[in-house]
Coordinates of all heavy atoms in Angstrom, one line a residue:
M1 N -50.4 -54.6 55.2 CA -50.0 -56.0 55.0 C -50.5 -56.8 56.2 O -50.4 -56.4 57.3 CB -48.5 -55.9 54.9 CG -47.9 -57.3 54.6 SD -46.2 -57.2 54.3 CE -46.1 -56.6 52.6
R2 N -51.0 -58.0 55.8 CA -51.5 -58.9 56.8 C -50.3 -59.6 57.5 O -49.3 -59.9 56.9 CB -52.4 -60.0 56.2 CG -53.6 -59.4 55.5 CD -54.5 -60.5 54.9 NE -53.7 -61.3 54.1 CZ -54.0 -62.6 53.9 NH1 -55.2 -63.1 54.2 NH2 -53.2 -63.4 53.1
S3 N -50.5 -60.1 58.8 CA -49.4 -60.8 59.5 C -49.0 -62.0 58.8 O -47.9 -62.4 58.8 CB -49.8 -61.0 60.9 OG -51.0 -61.8 61.0
I4 N -50.0 -62.7 58.3 CA -49.7 -64.0 57.5 C -48.7 -63.8 56.3 O -47.8 -64.6 56.1 CB -50.9 -64.8 57.0 CG1 -50.5 -66.2 56.7 CG2 -51.7 -64.1 56.0 CD1 -50.1 -67.1 57.8
D5 N -48.9 -62.6 55.6 CA -48.0 -62.3 54.5 C -46.6 -62.0 55.0 O -45.5 -62.2 54.4 CB -48.7 -61.1 53.7 CG -50.0 -61.4 53.1 OD1 -50.1 -62.5 52.7 OD2 -50.8 -60.6 53.1
V6 N -46.6 -61.2 56.2 CA -45.2 -60.8 56.7 C -44.5 -62.1 57.2 O -43.3 -62.2 57.0 CB -45.6 -59.9 58.0 CG1 -44.2 -59.7 58.8 CG2 -46.0 -58.6 57.5
I7 N -45.2 -63.0 57.8 CA -44.6 -64.3 58.3 C -44.0 -65.0 57.1 O -42.9 -65.6 57.1 CB -45.6 -65.2 59.0 CG1 -45.9 -64.5 60.5 CG2 -45.1 -66.6 59.2 CD1 -47.0 -65.1 61.1
R8 N -44.8 -65.1 56.0 CA -44.4 -65.8 54.8 C -43.1 -65.2 54.2 O -42.1 -65.9 53.9 CB -45.5 -65.8 53.7 CG -45.1 -66.6 52.4 CD -46.3 -66.7 51.5 NE -47.5 -67.3 52.1 CZ -48.6 -66.7 52.4 NH1 -48.9 -65.4 52.2 NH2 -49.7 -67.4 52.9
L9 N -43.1 -63.8 54.2 CA -41.9 -63.1 53.7 C -40.7 -63.3 54.6 O -39.6 -63.5 54.2 CB -42.1 -61.7 53.5 CG -43.1 -61.2 52.4 CD1 -43.5 -59.8 52.6 CD2 -42.4 -61.4 51.0
A10 N -41.0 -63.2 55.9 CA -39.8 -63.5 56.9 C -39.2 -64.9 56.7 O -38.1 -65.0 56.7 CB -40.3 -63.3 58.3
R11 N -40.2 -65.9 56.6 CA -39.6 -67.3 56.4 C -38.7 -67.4 55.2 O -37.7 -68.0 55.2 CB -40.7 -68.3 56.4 CG -41.5 -68.5 57.7 CD -42.6 -69.4 57.5 NE -42.2 -70.7 56.9 CZ -43.0 -71.8 56.6 NH1 -44.3 -71.7 56.9 NH2 -42.5 -72.8 56.1
E12 N -39.2 -66.8 54.1 CA -38.5 -66.9 52.8 C -37.1 -66.2 52.9 O -36.1 -66.8 52.4 CB -39.3 -66.2 51.7 CG -40.5 -67.1 51.3 CD -41.4 -66.3 50.4 OE1 -41.0 -65.1 50.0 OE2 -42.5 -66.8 50.0
Q13 N -37.1 -65.1 53.6 CA -35.9 -64.3 53.5 C -34.8 -65.0 54.5 O -33.7 -64.9 54.2 CB -36.2 -62.8 54.1 CG -37.0 -62.2 52.9 CD -37.3 -60.7 53.3 OE1 -36.5 -59.8 53.3 NE2 -38.6 -60.5 53.6
I14 N -35.3 -65.5 55.7 CA -34.3 -66.1 56.6 C -33.8 -67.3 56.1 O -32.6 -67.7 56.2 CB -34.9 -66.2 58.1 CG1 -33.8 -66.5 59.0 CG2 -35.9 -67.3 58.2 CD1 -32.8 -65.4 59.3
N15 N -34.7 -68.1 55.3 CA -34.1 -69.3 54.7 C -33.1 -69.0 53.6 O -32.1 -69.7 53.5 CB -35.3 -70.2 54.1 CG -34.8 -71.4 53.4 OD1 -34.7 -71.3 52.3 ND2 -34.5 -72.4 54.3
E16 N -33.4 -67.9 52.8 CA -32.4 -67.5 51.8 C -31.0 -67.1 52.4 O -30.0 -67.4 51.8 CB -33.0 -66.4 51.0 CG -32.2 -66.0 49.8 CD -32.8 -65.0 48.9 OE1 -34.0 -65.0 48.8 OE2 -32.1 -64.2 48.3
I17 N -31.1 -66.5 53.5 CA -29.8 -66.1 54.2 C -29.1 -67.3 54.9 O -27.9 -67.4 54.8 CB -30.1 -65.0 55.2 CG1 -30.6 -63.7 54.6 CG2 -28.9 -64.8 56.2 CD1 -31.1 -62.7 55.5
T18 N -29.8 -68.0 55.6 CA -29.2 -69.1 56.4 C -29.1 -70.5 55.8 O -28.3 -71.3 56.1 CB -29.9 -69.2 57.9 OG1 -31.2 -69.7 57.7 CG2 -29.9 -68.0 58.6
G19 N -30.2 -70.8 55.0 CA -30.3 -72.1 54.5 C -30.8 -73.1 55.5 O -31.0 -74.3 55.1
L20 N -31.2 -72.6 56.7 CA -31.6 -73.6 57.7 C -33.1 -73.9 57.5 O -33.9 -73.0 57.1 CB -31.4 -73.0 59.1 CG -30.0 -72.8 59.5 CD1 -29.8 -72.0 60.8 CD2 -29.2 -74.1 59.5
P21 N -33.6 -75.1 57.9 CA -34.9 -75.5 57.7 C -35.7 -74.8 58.8 O -35.4 -74.6 59.9 CB -35.0 -77.0 57.8 CG -33.7 -77.4 58.4 CD -32.7 -76.3 58.2
F22 N -37.0 -74.5 58.4 CA -38.0 -73.8 59.3 C -38.7 -74.7 60.3 O -39.0 -75.9 59.9 CB -39.0 -73.1 58.4 CG -40.2 -72.6 59.2 CD1 -40.2 -71.3 59.8 CD2 -41.4 -73.3 59.1 CE1 -41.3 -70.9 60.5 CE2 -42.5 -72.9 59.8 CZ -42.5 -71.6 60.5
D23 N -38.9 -74.4 61.6 CA -39.6 -75.2 62.5 C -40.9 -74.6 62.8 O -41.9 -75.2 62.6 CB -38.8 -75.5 63.8 CG -39.4 -76.5 64.7 OD1 -39.5 -77.6 64.3 OD2 -39.9 -76.1 65.8
T24 N -40.9 -73.3 63.4 CA -42.2 -72.7 63.8 C -42.0 -71.2 63.9 O -40.8 -70.7 64.0 CB -42.7 -73.2 65.1 OG1 -44.1 -72.8 65.3 CG2 -41.9 -72.8 66.3
V25 N -43.1 -70.5 63.9 CA -43.1 -69.0 64.2 C -43.4 -68.9 65.7 O -44.5 -69.4 66.2 CB -44.1 -68.2 63.4 CG1 -44.2 -66.8 63.8 CG2 -43.7 -68.4 61.9
S26 N -42.7 -68.2 66.5 CA -43.0 -68.0 67.8 C -43.4 -66.6 68.2 O -43.9 -66.3 69.3 CB -41.7 -68.3 68.7 OG -40.6 -67.5 68.3
R27 N -43.4 -65.6 67.2 CA -43.8 -64.3 67.5 C -44.0 -63.5 66.2 O -43.3 -63.7 65.2 CB -42.7 -63.6 68.2 CG -42.9 -62.2 68.6 CD -41.8 -61.5 69.2 NE -42.0 -60.1 69.6 CZ -41.1 -59.2 69.9 NH1 -39.9 -59.6 70.1 NH2 -41.4 -58.0 70.2
C28 N -45.0 -62.6 66.2 CA -45.3 -61.7 65.1 C -45.9 -60.6 65.6 O -47.1 -60.6 66.2 CB -46.1 -62.4 64.0 SG -46.4 -61.3 62.6
T29 N -45.2 -59.4 65.6 CA -45.8 -58.2 66.3 C -45.5 -57.0 65.4 O -44.5 -56.9 64.7 CB -44.9 -57.9 67.6 OG1 -44.9 -59.1 68.4 CG2 -45.5 -56.7 68.4
K30 N -46.6 -56.2 65.3 CA -46.4 -54.9 64.6 C -46.1 -53.9 65.4 O -46.7 -53.7 66.5 CB -47.8 -54.6 63.8 CG -47.7 -53.5 62.8 CD -49.0 -53.4 62.0 CE -49.0 -52.3 61.2 NZ -47.9 -51.7 60.5
D31 N -45.1 -53.0 65.0 CA -44.7 -51.8 65.8 C -44.7 -50.6 64.9 O -45.2 -50.7 63.7 CB -43.5 -52.0 66.5 CG -42.2 -52.1 65.7 OD1 -42.3 -51.9 64.5 OD2 -41.2 -52.5 66.2
D32 N -44.3 -49.5 65.4 CA -44.3 -48.2 64.6 C -43.4 -48.3 63.3 O -43.7 -47.6 62.4 CB -43.8 -47.1 65.5 CG -44.9 -46.8 66.5 OD1 -46.0 -47.1 66.4 OD2 -44.4 -46.2 67.6
D33 N -42.3 -49.0 63.4 CA -41.4 -49.1 62.4 C -41.6 -50.3 61.2 O -41.0 -50.4 60.3 CB -39.9 -49.3 62.8 CG -39.5 -48.1 63.7 OD1 -40.0 -47.0 63.4 OD2 -38.9 -48.3 64.8
G34 N -42.5 -51.2 61.6 CA -42.8 -52.3 60.8 C -43.3 -53.5 61.6 O -44.2 -53.5 62.4
W35 N -42.5 -54.6 61.5 CA -42.8 -55.9 62.1 C -41.7 -56.5 62.8 O -40.5 -56.4 62.3 CB -43.3 -56.9 61.0 CG -44.6 -56.4 60.3 CD1 -44.7 -55.5 59.2 CD2 -45.9 -56.8 60.7 NE1 -46.0 -55.4 58.9 CE2 -46.8 -56.2 59.8 CE3 -46.5 -57.6 61.7 CZ2 -48.2 -56.3 59.8 CZ3 -47.8 -57.8 61.7 CH2 -48.7 -57.2 60.8
I36 N -41.9 -57.3 63.8 CA -40.9 -58.2 64.5 C -41.4 -59.5 64.4 O -42.6 -59.8 64.9 CB -40.7 -57.7 65.9 CG1 -40.2 -56.3 66.0 CG2 -39.7 -58.6 66.5 CD1 -40.2 -55.7 67.4
V37 N -40.7 -60.5 63.9 CA -41.1 -61.9 63.7 C -40.0 -62.7 64.4 O -38.8 -62.6 64.1 CB -41.2 -62.2 62.2 CG1 -41.6 -63.7 62.1 CG2 -42.2 -61.3 61.5
G38 N -40.4 -63.7 65.3 CA -39.5 -64.6 65.8 C -39.8 -66.0 65.2 O -41.0 -66.4 65.0
I39 N -38.7 -66.6 64.7 CA -38.8 -67.8 64.0 C -37.8 -68.8 64.6 O -36.7 -68.4 64.9 CB -38.4 -67.6 62.5 CG1 -39.6 -66.8 61.9 CG2 -38.3 -68.9 61.7 CD1 -39.4 -66.5 60.4
E40 N -38.3 -70.0 64.8 CA -37.4 -71.1 65.2 C -36.9 -71.9 64.0 O -37.7 -72.4 63.2 CB -38.2 -72.0 66.2 CG -39.0 -71.4 67.2 CD -38.2 -70.6 68.2 OE1 -37.1 -71.1 68.7 OE2 -38.5 -69.5 68.5
L41 N -35.6 -72.1 63.9 CA -34.9 -72.8 62.8 C -34.3 -74.0 63.4 O -33.7 -73.9 64.5 CB -34.0 -71.9 62.1 CG -34.5 -70.7 61.5 CD1 -33.4 -69.8 60.8 CD2 -35.6 -71.0 60.4
I42 N -34.2 -75.0 62.6 CA -33.5 -76.2 63.0 C -32.0 -76.1 62.6 O -31.7 -76.0 61.5 CB -34.1 -77.5 62.4 CG1 -35.5 -77.6 62.8 CG2 -33.3 -78.8 62.8 CD1 -36.3 -78.7 62.0
E43 N -31.2 -75.9 63.6 CA -29.7 -75.7 63.3 C -28.9 -77.1 63.2 O -27.9 -77.1 62.6 CB -29.1 -74.8 64.5 CG -29.7 -73.4 64.4 CD -28.9 -72.5 65.2 OE1 -28.2 -72.8 66.1 OE2 -29.1 -71.2 64.9
M44 N -29.4 -78.1 63.8 CA -28.8 -79.4 63.8 C -29.8 -80.5 64.1 O -30.4 -80.5 65.1 CB -27.6 -79.5 64.8 CG -26.9 -80.8 64.6 SD -25.5 -80.9 65.9 CE -24.5 -79.4 65.4
R45 N -30.0 -81.3 63.1 CA -30.9 -82.5 63.3 C -30.2 -83.5 64.1 O -29.1 -83.9 63.9 CB -31.4 -83.0 62.0 CG -32.3 -82.0 61.3 CD -33.1 -82.7 60.2 NE -33.8 -81.8 59.4 CZ -35.0 -81.4 59.5 NH1 -35.7 -81.8 60.7 NH2 -35.6 -80.5 58.8
R46 N -30.9 -84.2 64.9 CA -30.4 -85.3 65.8 C -31.4 -86.4 65.9 O -32.7 -86.3 65.6 CB -30.1 -84.9 67.2 CG -28.9 -83.9 67.2 CD -28.3 -83.7 68.5 NE -27.2 -82.9 68.5 CZ -26.6 -82.3 69.6 NH1 -27.3 -82.4 70.8 NH2 -25.5 -81.7 69.6
I47 N -31.0 -87.6 66.2 CA -31.8 -88.7 66.5 C -31.8 -89.1 68.0 O -30.8 -89.3 68.5 CB -31.5 -89.9 65.6 CG1 -31.7 -89.5 64.1 CG2 -32.4 -91.1 65.9 CD1 -31.1 -90.6 63.1
P48 N -33.1 -89.0 68.6 CA -34.3 -88.7 68.1 C -34.5 -87.2 67.9 O -33.7 -86.4 68.4 CB -35.4 -89.1 69.2 CG -34.4 -89.1 70.5 CD -33.0 -89.4 70.0
N49 N -35.5 -86.8 67.1 CA -35.8 -85.4 66.9 C -35.9 -84.5 68.0 O -35.8 -83.3 68.0 CB -36.7 -85.2 65.7 CG -38.1 -85.5 66.2 OD1 -38.3 -86.0 67.3 ND2 -39.1 -85.3 65.3
S50 N -36.4 -85.1 69.1 CA -36.5 -84.4 70.4 C -35.2 -83.8 71.0 O -35.2 -83.0 71.8 CB -37.2 -85.2 71.5 OG -36.3 -86.3 71.8
C51 N -34.1 -84.2 70.3 CA -32.7 -83.8 70.7 C -32.2 -82.7 69.6 O -31.1 -82.3 69.8 CB -31.8 -84.8 70.8 SG -32.2 -86.0 72.2
D52 N -33.0 -82.4 68.6 CA -32.6 -81.4 67.6 C -32.1 -80.0 68.3 O -32.7 -79.7 69.3 CB -33.7 -81.0 66.7 CG -34.1 -82.0 65.7 OD1 -33.4 -83.1 65.6 OD2 -35.1 -81.9 65.0
L53 N -31.2 -79.4 67.7 CA -30.8 -78.1 68.2 C -31.5 -77.0 67.4 O -31.4 -77.0 66.1 CB -29.2 -77.9 68.0 CG -28.3 -78.7 69.0 CD1 -26.9 -78.2 68.8 CD2 -28.7 -78.3 70.4
L54 N -32.2 -76.1 68.1 CA -33.0 -75.1 67.4 C -32.4 -73.8 67.8 O -31.8 -73.5 68.8 CB -34.5 -75.2 67.9 CG -35.3 -76.4 67.7 CD1 -36.6 -76.3 68.3 CD2 -35.3 -76.8 66.2
G55 N -32.6 -72.7 66.9 CA -32.2 -71.4 67.1 C -33.4 -70.6 67.0 O -34.2 -70.7 66.1
T56 N -33.5 -69.5 67.9 CA -34.6 -68.5 67.7 C -34.0 -67.3 67.1 O -33.0 -66.8 67.5 CB -35.1 -68.1 69.2 OG1 -35.5 -69.3 69.8 CG2 -36.2 -67.2 69.1
Y57 N -34.6 -66.9 66.1 CA -34.2 -65.8 65.3 C -35.2 -64.6 65.4 O -36.4 -64.9 65.1 CB -33.9 -66.1 63.8 CG -32.6 -67.0 63.6 CD1 -32.7 -68.3 64.0 CD2 -31.5 -66.4 63.2 CE1 -31.5 -69.1 64.0 CE2 -30.3 -67.3 63.1 CZ -30.4 -68.5 63.5 OH -29.2 -69.3 63.4
E58 N -34.8 -63.4 65.6 CA -35.7 -62.3 65.6 C -35.4 -61.5 64.4 O -34.3 -61.1 64.2 CB -35.4 -61.4 66.8 CG -36.3 -60.2 66.9 CD -36.2 -59.4 68.1 OE1 -36.6 -59.8 69.2 OE2 -35.5 -58.4 68.0
L59 N -36.4 -61.3 63.5 CA -36.3 -60.6 62.3 C -37.1 -59.3 62.5 O -38.3 -59.3 62.9 CB -36.9 -61.4 61.1 CG -36.1 -62.7 60.7 CD1 -36.3 -63.8 61.7 CD2 -36.5 -63.1 59.4
R60 N -36.5 -58.2 61.9 CA -37.2 -56.9 61.8 C -37.4 -56.7 60.3 O -36.6 -56.7 59.6 CB -36.4 -55.9 62.5 CG -36.3 -56.0 64.0 CD -35.7 -54.8 64.7 NE -35.8 -54.9 66.0 CZ -36.8 -54.5 66.8 NH1 -37.9 -54.0 66.2 NH2 -36.9 -54.7 68.1
L61 N -38.7 -56.4 60.0 CA -39.1 -56.2 58.7 C -39.8 -54.8 58.7 O -40.5 -54.4 59.6 CB -40.1 -57.2 58.1 CG -39.5 -58.6 57.9 CD1 -39.6 -59.4 59.2 CD2 -40.2 -59.3 56.8
D62 N -39.6 -54.1 57.5 CA -40.2 -52.7 57.5 C -41.7 -53.0 57.0 O -42.2 -54.0 56.9 CB -39.5 -51.8 56.4 CG -39.5 -52.3 55.0 OD1 -40.3 -53.2 54.6 OD2 -38.6 -51.9 54.1
A63 N -42.4 -51.9 56.9 CA -43.9 -51.9 56.7 C -44.2 -52.6 55.4 O -45.3 -53.2 55.2 CB -44.4 -50.6 56.6
D64 N -43.3 -52.7 54.4 CA -43.5 -53.4 53.1 C -43.0 -54.8 53.1 O -43.1 -55.5 52.1 CB -42.6 -52.6 52.1 CG -43.2 -51.3 51.8 OD1 -44.5 -51.1 51.9 OD2 -42.4 -50.4 51.5
G65 N -42.5 -55.3 54.3 CA -42.1 -56.7 54.4 C -40.6 -57.0 54.1 O -40.3 -58.1 53.9
N66 N -39.8 -56.0 53.8 CA -38.4 -56.1 53.5 C -37.6 -56.3 54.8 O -37.9 -55.6 55.8 CB -37.9 -54.8 52.7 CG -38.7 -54.6 51.5 OD1 -38.7 -55.5 50.7 ND2 -39.2 -53.4 51.3
L67 N -36.7 -57.3 54.8 CA -35.9 -57.5 56.0 C -35.0 -56.4 56.2 O -34.2 -55.8 55.4 CB -35.1 -58.8 55.8 CG -34.2 -59.2 57.0 CD1 -35.1 -59.7 58.1 CD2 -33.4 -60.4 56.4
V68 N -35.0 -55.8 57.5 CA -34.1 -54.7 57.8 C -33.0 -55.3 58.7 O -31.8 -54.9 58.5 CB -35.0 -53.7 58.7 CG1 -34.0 -52.7 59.3 CG2 -36.0 -53.1 57.9
S69 N -33.2 -56.3 59.5 CA -32.2 -56.9 60.4 C -32.7 -58.2 60.9 O -33.9 -58.5 61.0 CB -31.8 -56.0 61.5 OG -32.8 -55.8 62.5
Y70 N -31.7 -59.0 61.4 CA -32.0 -60.3 62.0 C -30.9 -60.7 63.0 O -29.8 -60.2 62.8 CB -32.3 -61.4 60.9 CG -31.1 -62.1 60.5 CD1 -30.5 -63.3 61.0 CD2 -30.4 -61.5 59.4 CE1 -29.4 -63.8 60.5 CE2 -29.2 -62.1 58.9 CZ -28.8 -63.2 59.4 OH -27.6 -63.8 58.9
Q71 N -31.3 -61.4 63.9 CA -30.2 -61.9 64.9 C -30.7 -63.1 65.5 O -31.9 -63.4 65.7 CB -29.9 -60.9 65.9 CG -30.9 -60.5 66.9 CD -30.4 -59.5 68.0 OE1 -29.3 -59.3 68.2 NE2 -31.4 -58.9 68.6
R72 N -29.8 -64.1 65.8 CA -30.2 -65.3 66.6 C -30.2 -64.7 68.1 O -29.2 -64.3 68.6 CB -29.2 -66.4 66.5 CG -29.6 -67.6 67.3 CD -28.8 -68.8 67.0 NE -27.4 -68.5 67.5 CZ -26.3 -69.4 67.2 NH1 -26.6 -70.5 66.6 NH2 -25.2 -69.0 67.6
T73 N -31.3 -65.0 68.8 CA -31.5 -64.6 70.2 C -31.4 -65.8 71.2 O -31.2 -65.5 72.3 CB -32.7 -63.9 70.4 OG1 -33.8 -64.7 70.1 CG2 -32.8 -62.6 69.5
N74 N -31.4 -67.0 70.6 CA -31.4 -68.1 71.6 C -31.0 -69.3 70.8 O -31.2 -69.4 69.6 CB -32.7 -68.3 72.2 CG -32.7 -69.3 73.4 OD1 -31.6 -69.6 73.9 ND2 -33.8 -69.8 73.8
R75 N -30.4 -70.3 71.4 CA -30.1 -71.6 70.9 C -30.3 -72.6 71.9 O -29.9 -72.5 73.1 CB -28.6 -71.7 70.4 CG -28.4 -72.9 69.6 CD -27.0 -72.9 69.0 NE -26.8 -74.0 68.0 CZ -25.7 -74.5 67.6 NH1 -24.5 -74.1 68.3 NH2 -25.6 -75.4 66.8
Y76 N -31.1 -73.7 71.7 CA -31.5 -74.7 72.7 C -31.8 -76.0 72.1 O -31.9 -76.1 70.8 CB -32.7 -74.1 73.4 CG -33.9 -73.9 72.6 CD1 -34.9 -74.9 72.5 CD2 -34.1 -72.7 71.8 CE1 -36.0 -74.8 71.6 CE2 -35.2 -72.6 70.9 CZ -36.2 -73.6 70.9 OH -37.2 -73.4 70.0
Q77 N -31.8 -77.0 72.9 CA -32.3 -78.4 72.4 C -33.7 -78.4 72.6 O -34.4 -78.0 73.5 CB -31.6 -79.4 73.4 CG -31.8 -80.8 72.9 CD -31.0 -81.8 73.8 OE1 -30.1 -81.4 74.5 NE2 -31.4 -83.1 73.7
R78 N -34.4 -79.1 71.5 CA -35.8 -79.1 71.4 C -36.5 -79.6 72.6 O -37.5 -79.0 73.1 CB -36.2 -80.0 70.2 CG -37.7 -80.0 69.9 CD -38.1 -81.0 68.9 NE -37.5 -80.8 67.6 CZ -38.0 -80.0 66.7 NH1 -39.2 -79.4 66.8 NH2 -37.5 -79.9 65.5
G79 N -36.0 -80.6 73.3 CA -36.6 -81.2 74.4 C -36.3 -80.5 75.8 O -36.8 -80.8 76.8
A80 N -35.5 -79.4 75.7 CA -35.1 -78.7 77.0 C -36.2 -77.9 77.5 O -37.0 -77.2 76.7 CB -33.8 -77.9 76.7
V81 N -36.3 -77.9 78.8 CA -37.3 -77.0 79.5 C -36.6 -75.7 80.0 O -35.5 -75.8 80.6 CB -38.0 -77.7 80.6 CG1 -38.9 -76.8 81.4 CG2 -38.7 -79.0 80.1
E82 N -37.1 -74.7 79.6 CA -36.4 -73.4 80.0 C -36.7 -73.1 81.5 O -37.7 -73.2 82.0 CB -37.1 -72.2 79.2 CG -36.3 -70.9 79.5 CD -36.9 -69.7 78.7 OE1 -37.5 -70.1 77.6 OE2 -36.7 -68.6 79.1
Q83 N -35.5 -72.8 82.2 CA -35.6 -72.5 83.7 C -35.6 -71.1 83.9 O -34.7 -70.4 83.4 CB -34.4 -73.2 84.4 CG -34.3 -74.7 84.2 CD -35.4 -75.4 85.0 OE1 -35.7 -75.0 86.1 NE2 -35.8 -76.6 84.5
K84 N -36.5 -70.6 84.7 CA -36.6 -69.1 85.1 C -36.5 -68.9 86.5 O -36.9 -69.7 87.3 CB -37.7 -68.4 84.4 CG -37.6 -68.4 82.9 CD -38.6 -67.3 82.3 CE -38.3 -67.1 80.9 NZ -38.9 -66.1 80.3

């Protein structure tokens, strides 16, 4: 399975579960058990859109593209700069 196909399946499945609009894909990695896909979803729209609240979701899919698990790993304001 190609990564673009896995990303498409991940987007469809997380939208069906959460109903949240898609923003971007931040990660797509193949491992021994399948795929890990990181997706940014818009959790709350604000004006201006630079103040939107986004959530980072990590999805694990098996080798066939079926969702095995998902979790929100981060929540942040679109314009925020991450401090490390």
Side-chain angles (χ1 to χ4, degrees):
M1 182 171 283
R2 300 177 313 154
S3 59
I4 192 72
D5 297 322
V6 170
I7 290 168
R8 187 174 298 113
L9 289 168
R11 286 179 57 181
E12 291 171 2
Q13 292 177 77
I14 196 66
N15 180 262
E16 188 173 328
I17 291 168
T18 66
L20 296 172
F22 167 80
D23 188 66
T24 191
V25 173
S26 55
R27 176 182 182 194
C28 182
T29 307
K30 186 168 178 32
D31 67 12
D32 294 337
D33 298 323
W35 296 85
I36 301 169
V37 180
I39 294 182
E40 311 298 314
L41 299 178
I42 303 169
E43 294 193 338
M44 185 180 300
R45 292 194 187 272
R46 294 192 172 161
I47 298 174
N49 66 356
S50 61
C51 295
D52 287 350
L53 288 180
L54 302 178
T56 303
Y57 288 76
E58 181 179 282
L59 290 76
R60 294 190 169 273
L61 292 88
D62 65 19
D64 296 323
N66 298 307
L67 185 64
V68 175
S69 67
Y70 80 98
Q71 67 177 343
R72 182 173 65 189
T73 59
N74 192 18
R75 190 173 193 209
Y76 61 96
Q77 188 172 342
R78 184 187 298 271
V81 176
E82 186 176 337
Q83 300 288 327
K84 287 195 177 198

